[in-house]
Amino acid sequence: MTILERVGLARRLDGAPRYDWDELVQEDRVHRLIYTDPAIFAAEMTHVFGGTWVYLAHESEIPAENDFITRRLGLRPLIVLRDQNGRIRALYNRCTHRGTTLCRWDKGNAKSFQCPYHGWNFLNTGKLRGVPWPDGYACDFKDPKYNIAQVPRVESYRGFIFGTLNLDAPPLPHWLGPITRPIDQWLDRNPGGKVVVCEANRLKFKGNWKLAYDNSGDGYHVVYSHRSLLETENRLAEDGNKGMAYYRSSPDAAPMYVQYMGNGHHFKDKRPNLNQRPGGLWAIESPHPGMEHCEAEFRRRYGARADELLDLAGSEPVNINVFPNLSLLGNHIQVFEPVSVEETNAIWYGTRIVDETGGLGDATDEINALRMRTQEGFPNFGEVDDVANFEQIQRGLQCLEDEWVYMHRGLGIPGRAHTHDDGTIRAPATDEVFMREYIKEWKRLMQTRPNLAIQREP
Ligand code: FES
Ligand SMILES: [Fe+2]
């Protein structure tokens, strides 16, 4: 029996028994409460950000032994690190003495962490190393209960580090399932099948975190919400086919599609809209200040190879969404961090390529310089439209008596969506099938009591 069960708090914090989830999440609509109720948010921190695999960090952010970066698992502050033996761990950023956060830095390199409050010192394996003036204690500090708590299951998929507290969660590769296909393709288009994570555009909005996930594969809003971006992208273009122009007239007739990939994950593939040739991706890249000059110089220097190399700077037209908090969008890694029921951080990490075999010669830095410019576009000129929508939805949902949010686009139209043998469901680009399916996974998690545990070094 846990301490929460002994004091009678387990059922309250668990959240599940108090709600009829089948009423709140229906086939075609969801109740406003799932975005506005603090008790549901509290339960999500256990059932979702605890009960399933959650993206924590990228291995390239902690490349060397003793590198660390501070992150969160739901609301739990974490130190994600590579310990002195090279093992990746996710320590709770919480001193075992009186509970303060142990590390106040965003990132760094440290073999040990000294608590700023009373100076307890911990190795980066989580083990307590020593306390000031130990003769004032009668206890045995060798007891593992004084070692830092850590996430018991931390695994990587091709550089993406995930963690879960749920001992019953399926192995990471099973849980990712078919979404690994687009992730592999997203990586494999880069030299060595790798990217390195750079600094981030950090946005926050006053809205529930699921509003961002609802939107992550939404092809229905693009021409309305992002009209100014579409116009900017094409203002100087002769053919009017830059950026997301493929959404313009009838997006459902375009070759792009949205695909539900199981376990809450989904994929918007806009690559079929492109001319499949070297330079086909760069050809739709929208204007960025100074780009023409860089491109001309690049073409002069690299001649016949320029198109293929410029594609490495172009923004990959995919949205790969890994439930609950990771999106690969263009060349970005986007992470959603819930802050409260009505506050979320939306962080856009840029990525650059690395050339470990030297096959790119001296083009790598130039490609990365251009790639950085292309990555400035959407977070600054597109995401702002999206977060404005999220904040206005959160406002609209304060109309207590108007209870339902509809996500039934495509539902009930024979032949519109196709279920494949692997269980994935493919539909036209503006379909809301991915929302209906991921929210079923959310409901399943909210109805299931997860087997959460922490671990400490022995
Ligand atoms: S709270 Fe960390 S040493 Fe006291
Ligand atoms: Fe958008």
Side-chain angles (χ1 to χ4, degrees):
M1 190 185 251
T2 68
I3 184 71
L4 290 179
E5 284 163 342
R6 284 208 294 277
V7 300
L9 261 176
R11 283 174 69 84
R12 218 181 87 196
L13 290 183
D14 192 24
R18 302 198 307 151
Y19 293 96
D20 183 337
W21 300 101
D22 290 331
E23 278 298 318
L24 292 176
V25 175
Q26 301 180 8
E27 184 63 15
D28 61 335
R29 62 183 189 174
V30 295
H31 196 275
R32 56 174 289 283
L33 273 179
I34 76 165
Y35 302 101
T36 58
D37 183 1
I40 291 182
F41 179 83
E44 283 176 332
M45 295 304 107
T46 303
H47 288 255
V48 179
F49 291 86
T52 194
W53 290 97
V54 173
Y55 175 71
L56 300 179
H58 192 266
E59 286 185 14
S60 65
E61 294 174 286
I62 46 170
E65 281 168 16
N66 304 314
D67 280 350
F68 71 85
I69 191 153
T70 50
R71 287 292 150 83
R72 307 207 327 212
L73 176 59
L75 298 181
R76 305 163 188 89
L78 296 183
I79 312 170
V80 179
L81 58 80
R82 204 180 281 267
D83 74 14
Q84 29 195 309
N85 306 312
R87 176 173 160 193
I88 295 176
R89 298 174 183 267
L91 306 185
Y92 274 25
N93 190 1
R94 181 205 188 276
C95 181
T96 48
H97 178 215
R98 295 250 287 274
T100 185
T101 56
L102 191 57
C103 175
R104 314 275 167 89
W105 298 88
D106 292 336
K107 57 183 168 184
N109 182 281
K111 286 196 175 123
S112 63
F113 296 93
Q114 185 172 54
C115 180
Y117 198 174
H118 313 93
W120 285 23
N121 199 294
F122 301 87
L123 293 172
N124 65 9
T125 58
K127 230 176 157 62
L128 179 66
R129 190 175 169 208
V131 307
W133 307 299
D135 47 0
Y137 281 105
C139 68
D140 178 6
F141 277 114
K142 293 210 163 39
D143 189 324
K145 73 183 180 188
Y146 298 115
N147 297 335
I148 296 288
Q150 45 195 299
V151 179
R153 299 177 68 190
V154 177
E155 289 177 29
S156 292
Y157 182 76
R158 294 195 62 178
F160 296 94
I161 307 168
F162 294 84
T164 184
L165 299 170
N166 188 358
L167 300 181
D168 295 342
L172 179 67
H174 288 210
W175 172 80
L176 287 171
I179 199 72
T180 55
R181 286 200 304 264
I183 295 175
D184 289 347
Q185 291 165 5
W186 188 83
L187 287 166
D188 289 339
R189 89 177 190 95
N190 301 295
K194 275 188 175 179
V195 292
V196 168
V197 172
C198 309
E199 260 310 324
N201 279 63
R202 295 170 193 277
L203 291 98
K204 55 169 71 178
F205 63 89
K206 289 198 164 128
N208 187 265
W209 67 273
K210 292 189 294 301
L211 298 173
Y213 201 78
D214 290 352
N215 182 71
S216 59
D218 184 321
Y220 198 25
H221 75 295
V222 177
V223 284
Y224 297 95
S225 294
H226 300 302
R227 184 171 161 185
S228 62
L229 174 61
L230 294 182
E231 286 180 2
T232 308
E233 285 174 336
N234 285 287
R235 200 159 48 92
L236 303 173
E238 279 160 21
D239 53 9
N241 284 330
K242 300 288 186 188
M244 296 189 292
Y246 39 69
Y247 275 108
R248 205 167 30 199
S249 39
S250 39
D252 282 350
M256 61 181 164
Y257 57 88
V258 65
Q259 190 162 358
Y260 181 69
M261 307 298 268
N263 294 337
H265 317 313
H266 59 93
F267 174 39
K268 169 70 71 62
D269 189 4
K270 296 165 283 189
R271 296 170 304 179
N273 298 328
L274 262 60
N275 201 332
Q276 305 295 325
R277 60 166 172 85
L281 180 56
W282 185 252
I284 66 158
E285 192 57 51
S286 54
H288 306 285
M291 191 170 99
E292 299 86 344
H293 172 76
C294 288
E295 180 180 340
E297 179 62 14
F298 199 87
R299 289 192 182 282
R300 190 185 65 73
R301 292 183 54 184
Y302 298 103
R305 279 187 80 198
D307 271 323
E308 172 202 336
L309 296 175
L310 285 166
D311 278 347
L312 293 172
S315 190
E316 180 77 331
V318 293
N319 308 32
I320 302 165
N321 301 293
V322 182
F323 184 77
N325 69 331
L326 170 68
S327 285
L328 308 181
L329 285 172
N331 296 331
H332 286 99
I333 294 175
Q334 190 190 11
V335 181
F336 309 124
E337 276 185 8
V339 176
S340 73
V341 66
E342 54 183 14
E343 198 178 354
T344 305
N345 295 329
I347 307 168
W348 293 68
Y349 296 92
T351 62
R352 62 181 168 85
I353 58 166
V354 279
D355 180 22
E356 288 171 345
T357 60
L360 293 180
D362 55 2
T364 311
D365 287 350
E366 288 166 81
I367 293 167
N368 279 330
L370 265 178
R371 186 167 162 129
M372 288 306 127
R373 299 317 297 264
T374 66
Q375 291 180 93
E376 287 162 358
F378 197 82
N380 291 298
F381 302 111
E383 177 74 351
V384 287
D385 303 325
D386 291 323
V387 299
N389 285 333
F390 307 155
E391 294 198 343
Q392 294 303 322
I393 296 171
Q394 199 74 26
R395 256 187 96 197
L397 295 180
Q398 299 310 315
C399 297
L400 306 184
E401 297 74 19
D402 200 0
E403 296 170 278
W404 298 102
V405 171
Y406 288 90
M407 42 181 75
H408 63 305
R409 186 168 169 80
L411 184 66
I413 300 181
R416 187 172 158 98
H418 299 277
T419 303
H420 297 183
D421 290 345
D422 60 1
T424 65
I425 307 168
R426 187 180 287 205
T430 67
D431 209 285
E432 288 171 336
V433 64
F434 75 92
M435 292 173 71
R436 297 191 291 277
E437 293 299 322
Y438 106 73
I439 210 71
K440 284 181 200 162
E441 172 65 7
W442 178 87
K443 179 164 80 169
R444 186 190 69 75
L445 289 167
M446 296 301 275
Q447 287 172 322
T448 312
R449 185 131 190 217
N451 180 15
L452 303 195
I454 49 171
Q455 180 179 298
R456 297 181 203 272
E457 284 294 275

